[in-house]
């Protein structure tokens, strides 16, 4: 019995936990979040400076980065910009000023999601889990590899690659899932509610513009890659549609 009891701590050490990097200069908030997230199965590493946070984020050892905008040294936006030049690690941006422009800029430069301060820790936990579910689903599967091809856009969910007219696309997890959803229903209108729930994995809020920013970023990447113009159509007050090219009509001489 004593032998079994001595082995229990070693067994506990084998339980998988998700490594989280928290970059925020609010020491009290970090301490509270570390305690809360640890109790829910996460291993939290904290940094309180932008440059140190960027250095740790680039190690590739974390499943997700919780990144505050207002940081000493490099601010959160600059950390995210530099991070995105070489890493697609999931990033949840924490915005304190509560201004729409902060959230828009964060999403434009590659954040997976944002959460304005002050927030309920339970909502933070729900956002983290939703992002990690998307990230997990994005990993190459050993079976059931699916290839989609629509109007010059190629997407391989197994290899986790996407290209447009032969030009490789560098997509975030959200952008990849969003493109996949649109490509599975080419020419059909997908509502913002459907895309929010299926891609962002949360309830639809008509005042939440994060989906629109992800669409805008994806649209820009498609256009930069192949100059396709407005490949993703906005259907006002409804949602989005992956447009199919119209074949040119040829005239016939009689």
């Amino acid at each position: 019995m004593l032998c079994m009891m001595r082995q229990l701590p070693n067994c506990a050490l084998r339980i998988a936990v998700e490594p989280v990097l928290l970059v925020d200069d609010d020491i009290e908030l970090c301490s509270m979040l570390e305690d809360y997230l640890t109790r829910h199965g996460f291993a939290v590493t904290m940094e309180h400076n932008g440059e140190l946070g960027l250095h740790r984020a680039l190690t590739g050892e974390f499943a997700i980065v919780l990144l505050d905008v207002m940081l000493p040294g490099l601010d959160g936006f600059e950390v995210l910009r530099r991070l995105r030049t070489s890493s697609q690690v999931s990033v949840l941006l924490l915005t304190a000023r509560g201004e729409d422009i902060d959230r828009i800029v964060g999403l434009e430069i590659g954040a997976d999601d944002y959460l304005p301060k002050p927030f309920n820790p339970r909502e933070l936990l729900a956002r983290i889990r939703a992002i990690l579910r998307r990230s997990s689903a994005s990993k190459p599967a050993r079976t059931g590899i699916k290839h989609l091809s629509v109007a010059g856009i190629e997407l391989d969910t197994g290899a986790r690659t996407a290209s447009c007219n032969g030009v490789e696309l560098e997509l975030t997890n959200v952008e990849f899932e969003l493109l996949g959803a649109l490509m599975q229903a080419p020419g059909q209108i997908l509502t913002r509610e459907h895309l929010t729930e299926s891609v962002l994995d949360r309830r639809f809020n008509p005042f939440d513009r994060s989906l629109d920013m992800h669409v805008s970023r994806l649209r820009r990447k498609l256009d930069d890659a192949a100059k396709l113009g407005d490949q993703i159509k906005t259907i006002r007050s409804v949602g989005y549609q992956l447009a199919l090219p119209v074949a040119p009509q040829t005239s016939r001489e009689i």
Side-chain angles (χ1 to χ4, degrees), residues 192-193 196 202-209:
R192 293 180 69 242
E193 181 176 3
T196 297
R202 63 171 180 256
R203 287 187 177 182
F204 175 67
N205 180 342
F207 300 104
D208 183 355
R209 313 306 299 180

Side-chain angles (χ1 to χ4, degrees), residues 21-123:
L21 176 62
L22 174 58
V23 187
D24 196 308
D25 64 335
D26 187 331
I27 307 298
E28 184 177 352
L29 175 64
C30 285
S31 179
M32 183 271 290
L33 291 179
E34 179 188 27
D35 179 67
Y36 182 80
L37 293 175
T38 299
R39 286 188 280 112
H40 287 84
F42 295 92
V44 181
T45 298
M46 295 179 289
E47 292 291 351
H48 310 298
N49 174 278
E51 291 185 6
L52 294 177
L54 175 61
H55 177 75
R56 292 301 293 268
L58 286 171
T59 63
E61 60 187 281
F62 299 99
I64 187 171
V65 178
L66 310 181
L67 179 61
D68 186 31
V69 170
M70 303 294 289
L71 289 169
L74 298 178
D75 67 23
F77 292 142
E78 186 60 27
V79 170
L80 182 56
R81 285 190 187 94
R82 298 189 187 186
L83 183 62
R84 281 292 175 255
T85 62
S86 59
S87 173
Q88 292 299 319
V89 64
S90 298
V91 175
L92 174 58
L93 205 62
L94 306 177
T95 63
R97 290 178 289 189
E99 298 177 1
D100 285 343
I101 188 62
D102 288 346
R103 304 166 196 178
I104 291 171
V105 169
L107 292 170
E108 284 184 335
I109 59 180
D112 291 81
D113 203 354
Y114 66 84
L115 190 61
K117 294 180 178 180
F119 52 78
N120 188 314
R122 291 180 63 184
E123 182 175 2

Side-chain angles (χ1 to χ4, degrees), residues 112 134 137-139 146 148 154-163 169-184 199 214 218 221:
D112 291 81
R134 292 198 299 266
S138 74
K139 295 177 181 177
K146 190 172 185 180
L148 298 173
E154 306 285 335
L155 186 142
D156 190 327
T157 59
R160 196 65 180 175
T161 58
S163 64
L169 300 173
E170 293 291 337
L171 304 179
T172 65
N173 287 331
V174 174
E175 291 162 359
F176 192 93
E177 296 300 322
L178 179 57
L179 180 59
L182 291 167
M183 290 181 69
Q184 289 183 63
V199 175
H214 287 300
L218 174 59
K221 288 183 178 182

